[in-house]
């Protein structure tokens, strides 16, 4: 690779943010056009990733590596079949987010757009980092712009919401930091060299007891981000208070950082611990599916309804990830993209309604369809995509997720399938109350149907929804190699046994640890024997 | 040659006087002076020990202390002046912004 | 070539959806009707082409592209044509075409004209995908697609609360069945490794599926069918679905979509036959639904609701056919029912059109002289559905009942027979109340009383014609082994059921019994509603509780509401208020509050006085020195 395309995609928005600093504050429109241009160029640049990505290769591609601070802290970027899609999702949604805040943000436009651009860089950085230190830097750095976006441009309870969001996330990520340090020191003890490279850690084999603790550190950070039940309560609050564009990014991309974390770190790094905690995590995910759906049923605010629907959908994605088979994991990645599109679109749509009505309470609406026919069609398509109607993207992901779950546990699938019913119930009921029926609120009569700008950012999403629903091959095929490598790592433990070269890799004495590993192995074998 | 003990006794006396001065006095200037007395008590001890041990290290430290004390005096007095402008008082009890 | 059949209406729907706003009404009607007409033409050509194809090379399959492929989950976008789907495409496009044409007149003055035809074309597309999909997943696509169109069309007049509600209810109730359907698909994938119909057939014939597994899968699939085809216990959405425009009720909620379940069961007939138990369940559910819905139809006053309950009941008959192993008979009833039931609905629509939208039979009567074309066509439909000999309904219903009897399913047969009396009775109650007797029309409606325009009556006449003759492709076996063309045509797809071991005399006797039953029902209706109109009131007065129960449709909606909907919504509210807001958020806020409280307490040590701090410092030094020294 001659041209550092990944660095470009990651840091080009930062360049935009720097440029915006020097543009006088009063020229708000110039700011908007500049921000749009920068996000669009980033999008175009990221599309070259798609075209040059080789789906048959499991290893990260477009790799850039150079030393940075020493002691294993390197600047190391790369994408594989999993992160590629999340990068594309981010770059695809950012121009849309900028467009959607064209008129709805009127105060401090400059700062707003700067934070948006910084946010984009932070998120992309999380997905492309292959060094844990770099990853952690981006993981935390991304919080700062989000904190300001909600805290400054949010609704009346924004301070509470943003503090809750940041503190809960920080709580998780600090534990993850500790776990990262522990891994770092174990690796040093095992090999005598410093490294924070993810791929080096994959080779590490750890005592299951230690794995358990480290796994919990990582898993908690990601579970809060996803968010899995019962760590989900920050989500509705953050969504309700956040401005539209922030909600879109939050739902569409930020939550995916949690699932991505599970796929990239928690699963392949700690396969033994995973085995131990799998039942617990699956149950939490399952509860999330049903609980989120039921809570969505009774929400009074459209945004918190969509937020709870996210909890439910993300529960399905997590359960599919934990099914640990090709269909489930590919379905989960696909569903991550779908959820990004459909939930992002739903938040945009709520934003459009809010710009007209200045309320998001379901009871204030009714009969909007007759006033805004084009809008109602768009709303319906996005909603049906979230419901998982065949022909739209949601179906492909949902059926793969459910089938993956089904292959692993039929009982779980039977419970998880309730999402099919619940999603239809809460979304269509909401749609009916908002869009159908006679016009009850006189204010609605003055609503104008969507304008060209709004059309401009909804149409690409709708096209993607149909494309991903009707012809998912290009998406699925680029995941194959990476997903099968990931599953290999989880199932076959194809890791180099490093412990023989070292004195200890665990907190316990070597012999005890070894005995324990042997014992677990024996136990597993015995269990397998019994099952046969 | 005067025994080191004498210098030490003087140093301790000066230091204790400084502490007493610091706690008894209420205006900042005097408290400040008390701190200076304590510093110089320490200096005296250092010098005496340096001479007795025949090592220049103690003297070097004294130079540092004098420099720091000078800087401290300058900054401290400036702060006191500013405080006086704001509050029209240099009583220590009047400055309780740090109260939790 | 045959793969164009679904794509034409699909393309038309797409064009109307995107550009409909700018297209003139006239163009819209032409495009919508022509696309379906072209599909119908291709269906006919393919049908005759199919007759020449040797049975060994069936079905003809056209794979467009790989659709979903991940691990062992595999679904192609491929369409197939075999006798079963061929018949369905003919019904869907044929009846669909007539209803498209009828709609041009019926919806002429509606402001959502373009939207209506978009949905109608989209429905035709989805229905054709359903019947032509070569694997279960694609079938499910059509299955959900028609559900969506049904939702859109029921709620077409969304300004009305009732319409919006009915649409939503239809979708959600259907989804309950669909969830089971998905699980059924998964089990098939797990065992067969593919959703392809040929692969499934191969697996069943190769003995890869055990009987128990077959029962499980078949029951899950059938649960889906109870949703789509409105059978017990998921039938509740269909009566409400009458909120949609009448042509929609005719196409979706009578002729095509609601019979998708019957098609699906016939398509999977090997599975149901293998299971045995599942077939029995299908038959019993069908029989119970047939009679249960018929009793509810007795007391309704809304002309469309009577027809809706009648549809539920007739689909019950089709499932009786499938349940007793006579899939061809079930399909045959589907075929004839498509004609006479859509005829009845369209004629009812014509009545409504004439009466400015009146639906209540109590405000009709004596209409036969005002509606010279609607009346005879409606009457033909009623005679056909009642099972009077020589019309289509007689042949198909008789085929089902004969098979039930021959299989020794006397209970199901008896229920079916009772249902037949009720059918004849409520249909003629409808005819007598609407077209005969004294006029009870409201004055404002009477001013505009007129026969419908030709664009609406011509489809009626054509449908009436088919309601009479459609039965002659499936004559009873008594008239010769080869008399039943319909069933022979389906032989390559449908596993030939157990032989019918009935003597000729028994069979004639059965035919006589069903004729007698039908005539009896008509006669009772005649006595009740024409000869001595006081009788129904006397009966109501004698059995008030029974009447109330029937009139309120056994309170099933209310029971479902109280048993499922209310507890779910209220329970969620309680959980939300107490668990989400109090326990989880309480924990989080509590942690934050505890931290902040600890800060406050520790803050008390901060006096803000320099001297205090210094004192602490001094003490610290003393303690530290003391520790060092001693």
């Amino acid at each position: 690779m001659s041209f550092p395309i990944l660095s470009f995609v990651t840091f080009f928005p930062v360049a935009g943010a720097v440029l915006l600093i020097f543009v006088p504050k009063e020229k708000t429109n110039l700011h908007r056009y500049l921000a749009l241009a920068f996000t669009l160029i980033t999008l175009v640049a990221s599309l070259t990733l798609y075209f040059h990505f080789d789906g048959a290769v499991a290893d990260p591609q477009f790799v850039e590596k150079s030393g940075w601070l020493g002691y294993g802290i390197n600047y190391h970027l790369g994408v594989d079949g999993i992160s590629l899609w999340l990068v594309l999702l981010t770059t695809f949604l950012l121009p849309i987010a900028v467009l959607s805040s064209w008129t709805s943000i009127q105060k401090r436009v400059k700062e707003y757009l700067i934070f948006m651009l910084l946010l984009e860089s932070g998120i992309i950085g999380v997905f492309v980092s292959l060094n844990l230190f770099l990853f952690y830097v981006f993981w935390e750095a991304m919080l700062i712009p989000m904190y300001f976006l909600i805290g400054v441009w949010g609704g009346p309870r924004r301070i509470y919401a943003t503090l809750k969001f940041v503190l809960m996330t920080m709580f998780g990520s600090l534990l993850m930091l500790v776990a990262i340090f522990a891994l770092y020191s174990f690796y040093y003890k095992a090999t005598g060299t410093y490294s924070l490279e993810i791929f080096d850690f994959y080779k590490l084999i750890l005592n299951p007891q230690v794995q358990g603790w480290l796994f919990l550190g990582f898993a908690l950070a990601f579970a809060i981000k996803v968010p899995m039940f019962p760590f989900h309560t920050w989500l509705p609050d953050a969504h309700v208070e956040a401005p539209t564009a922030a909600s879109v990014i939050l739902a569409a991309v930020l939550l995916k950082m949690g699932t991505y974390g599970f796929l990239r770190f928690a699963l392949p790094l700690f396969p033994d611990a995973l085995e131990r905690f799998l039942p617990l995590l699956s149950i939490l995910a399952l509860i999330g599916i049903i609980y989120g759906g039921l809570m969505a049923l009774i929400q009074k605010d459209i945004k918190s309804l969509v937020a709870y629907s996210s909890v439910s959908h993300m529960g399905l994605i997590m359960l599919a990830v934990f099914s640990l088979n090709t269909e489930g994991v590919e379905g989960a990645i696909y569903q991550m993209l779908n959820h990004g599109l459909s939930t992002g679109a739903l938040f945009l749509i709520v934003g459009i309604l809010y710009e007209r009505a200045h309320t998001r309470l379901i009871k204030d609406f009714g009969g909007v369809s007759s006033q805004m026919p084009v809008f109602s069609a768009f709303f319906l398509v996005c909603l049906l995509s979230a419901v998982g109607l065949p022909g739209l993207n949601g179906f492909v992901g949902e059926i793969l997720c459910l089938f993956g779950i089904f292959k692993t546990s039929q009982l779980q699938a039977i419970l998880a399938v309730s999402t099919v019913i619940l999603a239809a119930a809460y979304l269509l009921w909401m749609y009916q109350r908002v869009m159908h029926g006679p016009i009850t609120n006189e204010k609605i009569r003055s609503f104008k149907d969507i304008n060209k700008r709004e059309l401009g950012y909804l149409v690409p999403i709708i096209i993607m929804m149909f494309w991903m629903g009707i012809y998912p091959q290009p998406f699925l095929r680029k995941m194959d190699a990476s997903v099968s490598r990931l599953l290999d790592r989880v199932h076959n433990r194809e890791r180099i046994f490093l412990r023989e070269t070292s004195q200890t890799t665990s907190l316990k004495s070597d012999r005890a640890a070894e005995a324990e590993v042997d014992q677990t192995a024996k136990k597993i074998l015995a269990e397998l024997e019994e099952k046969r | 040659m005067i025994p080191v003990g004498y210098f030490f006794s003087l140093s301790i006396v000066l230091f204790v006087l400084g502490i007493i001065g610091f706690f008894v006095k209420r205006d900042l200037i005097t408290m400040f002076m008390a701190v200076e007395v304590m510093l110089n008590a320490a200096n005296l001890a250092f010098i005496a020990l340096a001479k007795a041990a025949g090592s220049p290290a103690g003297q070097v430290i004294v130079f540092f202390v004098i420099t720091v004390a000078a800087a401290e005096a300058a900054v401290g007095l400036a702060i006191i002046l500013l405080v006086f402008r704001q509050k029209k008082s240099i009583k220590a009890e009047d400055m309780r912004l740090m109260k939790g | 070539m045959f793969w164009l059949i679904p794509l034409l209406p699909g393309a038309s729907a797409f064009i109307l959806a995107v550009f409909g706003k700018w297209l003139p009404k006239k163009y819209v009607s032409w495009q919508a009707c022509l696309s379906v007409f072209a599909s119908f033409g291709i269906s006919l050509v393919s049908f005759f082409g199919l007759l020449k194809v040797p049975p060994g090379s069936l079905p003809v399959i056209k794979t467009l592209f790989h659709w979903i492929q991940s691990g062992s989950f595999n679904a192609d976008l491929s369409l197939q044509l075999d006798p079963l789907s061929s018949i369905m495409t003919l019904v869907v496009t044929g009846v669909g075409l007539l209803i498209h044409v009828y709609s041009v007149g019926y919806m002429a003055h509606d402001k959502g004209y373009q939207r209506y035809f978009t949905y109608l074309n989209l429905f035709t597309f989805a229905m054709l995908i359903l019947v032509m999909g070569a694997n279960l997943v694609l079938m499910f696509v059509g299955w959900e697609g028609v559900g969506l169109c049904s939702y859109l069309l029921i709620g077409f007049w969304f300004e009305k609360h009732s319409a919006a509600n009915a649409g939503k209810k239809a979708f959600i109730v259907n989804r309950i069945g669909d969830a089971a359907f998905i699980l059924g698909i998964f089990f098939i994938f797990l065992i067969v490794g593919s959703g392809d119909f040929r692969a499934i057939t191969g697996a069943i014939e190769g003995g890869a599926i055990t009987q128990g597994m077959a029962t499980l899968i078949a029951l899950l699939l059938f649960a889906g069918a109870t949703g789509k085809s409105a059978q017990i216990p998921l039938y509740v959405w269909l009566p409400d679905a009458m909120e949609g425009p009448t042509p929609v009720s005719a196409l979706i909620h009578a002729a095509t979509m609601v019979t998708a379940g019957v098609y699906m069961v016939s398509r999977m007939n090997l599975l149901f036959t293998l299971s045995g138990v599942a077939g029995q369940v299908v038959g019993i559910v069908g029989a119970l639904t047939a009679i249960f819905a018929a009793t509810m139809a007795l007391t309704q006053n809304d002309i469309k609701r009577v027809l809706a309950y009648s549809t539920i009941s007739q689909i019950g008959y089709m499932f009786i056919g499938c349940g007793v192993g006579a899939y061809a008979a079930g399909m045959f009833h589907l075929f004839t029912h498509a004609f006479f039931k859509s005829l009845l609905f369209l004629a009812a629509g014509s009545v409504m059109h004439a009466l400015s939208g009146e639906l209540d039979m109590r405000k009709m009567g004596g209409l036969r002289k005002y509606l010279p074309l609607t009346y005879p066509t409606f009457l033909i439909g009623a005679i056909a559905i009642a099972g009077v000999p020589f019309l289509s309904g007689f042949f198909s219903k008789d085929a089902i009942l004969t098979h039930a009897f021959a299989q020794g399913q006397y209970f199901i047969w008896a229920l079916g027979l009772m249902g037949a009396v009720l059918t004849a009775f409520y249909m003629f109650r409808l005819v007598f109340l609407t077209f005969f007797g004294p006029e009870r029309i409201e004055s404002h409606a009477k001013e505009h009383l007129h026969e419908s325009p030709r664009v609406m009556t011509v489809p009626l006449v054509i449908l009436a014609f088919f309601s009479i003759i459609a039965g002659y492709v499936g004559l009873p076996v008594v008239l010769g082994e080869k008399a039943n063309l319909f069933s022979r045509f389906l032989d390559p797809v449908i596993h030939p059921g157990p032989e019918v071991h009935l003597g000729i005399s028994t069979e004639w006797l059965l035919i006589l019994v069903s004729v007698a039953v039908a005539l009896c029902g008509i006669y009772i209706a005649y006595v009740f509603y024409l000869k001595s109109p006081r009788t129904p009131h006397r009966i109501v007065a004698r059995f008030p509780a029974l009447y109330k129960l029937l009139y309120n449709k056994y309170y099933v909606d209310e029971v479902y509401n109280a048993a499922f909907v209310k507890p779910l919504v209220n329970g969620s509210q309680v959980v939300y208020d107490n668990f989400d807001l109090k326990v989880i958020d309480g924990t989080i806020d509590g942690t934050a509050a505890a931290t902040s409280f600890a800060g406050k307490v520790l803050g008390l040590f901060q006096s803000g006085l320099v001297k205090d701090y210094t004192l602490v410092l001094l003490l610290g030094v003393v303690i530290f020195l003391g520790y060092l020294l001693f």
Side-chain angles (χ1 to χ4, degrees), chain A residues 160 164 167-168 229-234 236-237 291 294-295 297-300 304 308 326-328 330-331 367-370 374 380 383-384 387-391 395-396 398-400 402-403 406-407 410 413-414 417-426 428-429 431-432 435-440 449 468-473 476-477 480, chain C residues 21 65-77 111 115 119 137 140-145 147-148 151-152 155 157-169 171-173 175-180 182-190 213 216 565 568-577 579-581 584-585 588-589 592:
Chain A
Y160 172 75
K164 196 168 169 184
L167 288 181
M168 278 183 82
F229 177 87
F231 309 111
H232 63 273
T233 53
W234 64 267
D237 278 320
Y291 187 83
L294 288 177
M295 292 305 106
L297 212 52
I298 48 127
Q299 294 305 310
K300 296 179 174 66
S304 63
Y308 274 104
T326 316
E327 296 86 348
E330 284 192 356
V368 178
S369 269
S370 32
V374 181
L380 190 67
L383 187 124
L384 291 171
V387 171
L389 196 90
F395 175 71
V396 179
E398 195 170 275
I399 198 137
L400 284 178
L402 286 172
F403 185 62
F406 181 82
K407 265 179 90 175
Q410 286 152 18
I414 289 168
V417 114
S418 63
T419 179
V420 169
I421 304 164
L422 281 174
Y426 57 74
L428 286 183
W429 192 25
Y431 187 75
Q432 184 204 345
M435 304 300 286
H436 289 167
I439 293 180
T440 44
D449 211 336
M468 291 180 70
I470 293 171
Y471 195 61
Q473 285 289 350
L476 290 172
R477 290 295 74 79
D480 283 341
Chain C
K21 227 168 79 177
F65 55 81
H66 297 301
W67 182 35
I68 309 177
Q69 209 176 2
S70 169
S72 61
F73 193 90
N74 234 310
D76 286 348
L77 205 69
K111 64 177 162 51
R115 191 161 59 91
Y119 293 165
V137 184
F140 185 71
V141 173
W143 190 268
E144 290 276 280
L148 166 71
Y151 163 75
L152 293 171
W157 290 308
F158 54 76
E159 297 91 348
K160 274 198 322 196
H161 267 309
S162 52
N165 242 329
K168 177 199 66 185
K169 182 172 169 188
F171 198 88
I172 294 171
V173 171
R175 275 255 152 177
I176 298 172
D178 294 348
I182 290 180
L183 288 174
I185 295 178
F186 287 168
F187 272 109
I188 284 184
F189 263 99
L190 200 64
M213 199 34 105
L216 178 65
V565 182
L568 218 55
V569 172
N570 294 345
S572 301
Q573 188 72 50
V574 170
V575 172
Y576 177 68
D577 290 342
F579 188 72
D580 224 63
L581 291 185
I584 299 182
D585 263 3
I588 293 161
D589 292 349

Side-chain angles (χ1 to χ4, degrees), chain C residues 240-507:
Chain C
D240 290 2
M242 296 301 125
E243 290 290 342
T246 309
V248 168
S249 312
L251 179 61
I252 302 187
H253 306 121
T256 54
M257 182 190 89
V258 286
T259 56
V262 182
Y263 164 77
M264 189 274 295
V265 173
S266 304
R267 173 64 70 200
M268 308 298 291
N269 65 77
L270 282 176
L271 196 70
F272 283 84
T273 310
L274 173 64
S275 150
V277 181
Q280 192 69 34
V281 172
V282 172
I284 288 173
V285 169
L288 287 178
T289 311
I291 191 144
F292 188 65
T295 54
M296 284 188 281
L298 295 177
T299 53
Q300 300 301 311
N301 288 319
D302 181 320
I303 186 166
K304 282 181 76 180
R305 286 202 175 232
V306 176
L307 290 177
Y309 283 112
S310 144
T311 305
I312 300 175
S313 160
Q314 294 301 311
I315 297 170
Y317 277 103
M318 299 173 202
F319 278 118
I320 295 178
C322 297
V324 298
Y327 301 97
M331 282 302 295
F332 186 37
H333 196 52
L334 185 161
F335 180 69
T336 56
H337 176 257
F339 294 113
F340 58 68
K341 185 50 67 62
S342 52
L343 169 64
L344 284 169
F345 265 113
L346 292 186
S350 179
V351 171
M352 279 170 67
H353 198 74
L355 292 176
S356 320
E358 186 55 65
L359 276 167
D360 194 334
M361 289 190 287
R362 285 169 298 192
K363 294 175 186 165
M364 295 178 184
L367 283 174
R368 69 174 181 273
K369 53 180 178 290
Y370 300 106
L371 305 172
L373 263 172
T374 307
Y375 162 63
T377 48
F378 193 96
L379 191 62
I380 289 171
I383 298 175
I385 196 176
V388 172
F390 311 120
L391 275 79
S392 58
F394 164 73
F395 295 109
S396 52
K397 198 183 284 181
D398 186 59
I400 290 171
L401 292 179
T402 309
H403 274 98
F405 190 84
Q407 297 301 319
Q409 305 279 10
Y410 302 118
F411 174 64
I412 290 179
W413 176 77
L415 283 182
L417 219 53
M418 266 161 67
V421 185
L422 295 174
T423 308
F425 173 77
Y426 66 68
M427 278 321 296
F428 276 84
R429 168 176 176 261
L430 191 58
V431 171
F432 294 143
L433 282 179
T434 313
F435 294 102
F436 291 85
E439 288 174 23
R440 301 175 296 270
I441 309 160
E442 285 180 358
S443 53
H444 72 92
K446 193 156 182 184
E447 283 164 28
H448 305 286
L449 192 55
H450 60 286
E451 178 62 292
S452 304
R454 188 153 318 153
V455 70
M456 288 165 69
T457 50
V458 169
L460 287 183
V461 173
I462 297 174
L463 282 172
F465 174 69
F466 279 106
S467 301
I468 299 171
I469 66 144
Y472 289 91
V473 297
L475 295 175
V477 192
V478 199
L479 299 177
E481 275 301 312
K482 291 183 177 167
N484 199 334
L485 294 174
F486 192 88
S487 132
R488 280 205 311 145
F489 179 60
L490 283 179
D491 267 350
V493 196
I494 286 175
H495 172 74
E499 290 290 308
V500 181
H501 299 293
L502 285 177
I504 291 184
S505 52
T506 327
E507 202 153 322

